[in-house]
């Protein structure tokens, strides 16, 4: 249920109302806008007397929310959420460029890519240390050592780092990581999501290979309901019957998610297409349709990459693309 308060209500009266809802065993999410405050009630609201609530003089309106996702629902929180990572802001007009290799392979590789993408204006560095590979015989990532190398690249460039976590048991290794990525294959690993809800770090949640938007939002709910409100969503392509691309980039997910949720939505054109030459056009399309950022795979030597070389841009290709992305952003302002 959503309760919209009248503009500029008295703090004490508002608090009394919140306490009253809490005494009915309801969670209360308070969203304070510039003029009006919205209370989002979470839990079994069937016993709440709507007429009584609406009759209160500090209440402007009350309505039931039919969707099962509450915390991330835009109706609960009409204003865009801005996720902050140090000085980097994502959402509500703040556009983020995240770039780096699929996986961290060596100190030279990650620092060289980090320096190149930084010079092209990237805001954050990506790189997998724990790799969810389809085959158990493929490179599985450098794990803890990979995180150390990412931190060294951060030290040299100042770029915050984004890297994937596959198991809550590895959390101690992620203490200095800026953004924890939950990959497509773990979008519905509910125990992991619940655990990530208890930490104080932003989460980049990627859409599952065959998941609907509603399922994605329910996964966000696992994180947010456990207390962590800093979530960024990522559309990375879904499985369809496309035969020439790795996945199908569902760009309509971007404006639809913006309607449904207040959280930022970014796009990964690399995993969506699987083909480096298609990455620029899909990046521009994503920027044009209102994405809050892009996460792009960049490798200094794609031919010898240990993972996803075919979809990785060379640093000079990333540089040319970034300039066009910024131009599209300007054009749609
Ligand atoms: C990745 O970002 O390297 C990755 C494995 O992505 P996804 O989970 O979207 O496949
Ligand atoms: Mn990859």
């Amino acid at each position: 249920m959503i309760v919209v308060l009248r503009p500029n209500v008295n703090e004490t009266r508002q608090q009394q109302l919140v306490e009253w809802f809490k005494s009915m065993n309801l969670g209360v999410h308070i969203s304070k806008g510039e003029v009006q405050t919205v209370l989002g009630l979470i839990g079994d609201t069937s016993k709440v007397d709507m007429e009584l609530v609406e009759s209160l003089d500090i209440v402007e309106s009350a309505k039931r929310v039919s969707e099962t996702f509450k915390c991330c629902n835009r109706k609960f929180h009409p204003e865009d959420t801005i996720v902050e990572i140090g000085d980097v802001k994502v959402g509500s007009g703040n556009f983020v460029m995240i770039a780096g290799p699929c996986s961290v392979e060596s100190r030279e590789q990650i620092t060289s890519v980090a320096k190149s993408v930084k010079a092209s204006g990237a805001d954050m560095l990506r790189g997998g240390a724990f790799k969810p590979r389809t085959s158990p015989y493929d490179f599985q990532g450098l794990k803890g050592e990979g995180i150390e190398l990412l931190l060294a690249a951060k030290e040299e460039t100042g770029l915050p780092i984004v890297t994937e976590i596959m198991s809550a048991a590895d959390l101690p290794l992620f203490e200095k990581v800026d953004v924890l990525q939950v990959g497509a294959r773990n979008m519905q690993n509910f125990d992991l999501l619940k655990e990530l809800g208890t930490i104080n770090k932003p989460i980049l949640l990627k859409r599952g290979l065959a998941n609907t938007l509603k399922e994605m939002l329910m996964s966000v709910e696992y994180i947010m309901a456990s207390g962590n409100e800093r979530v960024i969503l990522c559309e990375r392509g879904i499985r369809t019957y496309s035969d020439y691309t790795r996945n199908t980039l569902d760009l309509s997910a971007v404006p639809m998610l913006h309607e449904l949720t207040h959280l930022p939505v970014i796009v990964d054109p690399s995993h969506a297409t699987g083909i480096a030459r298609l990455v620029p056009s899909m990046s521009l399309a994503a920027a044009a349709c209102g994405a809050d950022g892009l996460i792009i795979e960049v490798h200094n030597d794609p031919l010898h990459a240990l993972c996803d070389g075919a979809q990785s841009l060379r640093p000079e290709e990333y540089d040319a693309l970034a300039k066009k992305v910024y131009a599209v952003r300007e054009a749609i302002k």
Side-chain angles (χ1 to χ4, degrees):
M1 181 188 281
I2 301 185
V3 180
V4 181
L5 303 185
R6 287 192 190 281
N8 310 314
V9 290
N10 173 299
E11 277 289 330
T12 324
R13 300 283 317 282
Q14 177 181 318
Q15 203 44 41
Q16 284 166 345
L17 182 61
V18 169
E19 293 306 325
W20 181 56
F21 288 134
K22 286 188 177 166
S23 73
M24 289 185 257
N25 268 336
L26 297 170
V28 184
H29 182 275
I30 306 173
S31 167
K32 208 167 163 43
E34 261 172 39
V35 222
Q36 275 182 305
T37 299
V38 176
L39 305 181
L41 308 188
I42 302 162
D44 179 10
T45 55
S46 59
K47 291 187 194 70
V48 179
D49 182 341
M50 289 281 280
E51 284 177 10
L52 177 58
V53 174
E54 277 172 323
S55 73
L56 301 172
D57 59 358
I58 62 166
V59 171
E60 185 173 283
S61 65
K63 61 172 179 281
R64 296 199 183 275
V65 177
S66 48
E67 292 96 349
T68 38
F69 50 96
K70 307 285 182 201
C71 303
C72 67
N73 199 316
R74 190 177 279 284
K75 289 179 188 157
F76 265 45
H77 188 296
E79 280 151 36
D80 290 339
T81 284
I82 300 176
V83 174
E84 296 190 22
I85 306 112
D87 297 335
V88 178
K89 290 191 171 76
V90 193
S92 196
N94 301 285
F95 191 82
V96 70
M97 287 288 270
I98 308 171
C102 179
S103 41
V104 181
E105 297 168 8
S106 68
R107 181 179 290 265
E108 297 67 38
Q109 174 240 20
I110 193 69
T111 37
S112 139
V113 176
K115 284 181 188 163
S116 312
V117 299
K118 160 110 183 175
S120 304
D123 306 289
M124 287 201 259
L125 175 67
R126 64 148 287 148
F130 290 85
K131 294 304 306 174
R133 303 302 299 276
T134 301
S135 163
Y137 309 117
D138 285 340
F139 176 59
Q140 303 286 308
L142 296 179
K143 307 197 166 69
E145 188 196 340
I147 294 183
E148 290 305 319
L149 296 178
L150 279 165
L151 291 169
K154 176 184 176 178
E155 184 78 25
E156 281 211 33
T157 58
L159 291 177
I161 55 175
V162 183
T163 194
E164 176 163 355
I165 183 159
M166 287 168 59
S167 159
D170 297 324
L171 261 173
L173 295 171
F174 286 72
E175 212 172 309
K176 295 189 187 139
V177 170
D178 298 285
V179 177
L180 274 59
Q181 171 176 319
V182 175
R185 289 152 193 84
N186 271 315
M187 192 202 84
Q188 289 190 311
N189 181 341
F190 301 120
D191 285 339
L192 175 63
L193 300 176
K194 273 190 264 183
E195 200 63 35
L196 295 179
T198 66
I199 66 167
N200 183 23
K201 279 184 193 291
I203 308 298
L204 174 63
L205 181 71
K206 299 186 91 175
R207 181 176 181 182
L209 278 71
N211 285 114
T212 62
L213 298 186
K214 200 177 283 174
E215 286 164 347
M216 188 182 197
L217 293 170
M218 291 314 297
S219 290
V220 172
E221 211 62 19
Y222 268 97
I223 302 171
M224 293 186 81
S226 302
N228 187 351
E229 305 202 328
R230 295 200 286 162
V231 183
I232 301 168
L233 306 185
C234 179
E235 164 58 41
R236 45 79 71 206
I238 46 173
R239 280 277 164 87
T240 66
Y241 42 83
S242 70
D243 46 2
Y244 286 95
T245 52
R246 185 172 177 182
N247 290 291
T248 297
L249 179 55
D250 177 12
L251 276 187
S252 59
V254 176
M256 185 49 79
L257 285 170
H258 276 149
E259 273 182 28
L260 296 168
T261 176
H262 50 89
L263 297 170
V265 182
I266 69 166
V267 168
D268 173 348
S270 308
H271 292 88
T273 60
I275 302 170
R277 68 176 188 280
L278 300 188
V279 168
S281 45
M282 300 323 285
S283 300
L284 300 181
C289 79
D292 298 297
L294 292 167
I295 179 164
I296 297 176
E297 287 189 344
V298 179
H299 199 288
N300 53 337
D301 183 9
L303 286 179
H304 296 101
L306 295 181
C307 184
D308 287 350
Q311 66 192 34
S312 300
L313 298 185
R314 292 187 166 78
E316 60 277 18
E317 292 168 331
Y318 175 76
D319 187 68
L321 170 59
K323 290 191 173 83
K324 290 187 188 164
V325 168
Y326 297 129
V328 168
R329 291 280 308 156
E330 277 305 309
I332 62 163
K333 255 186 191 163

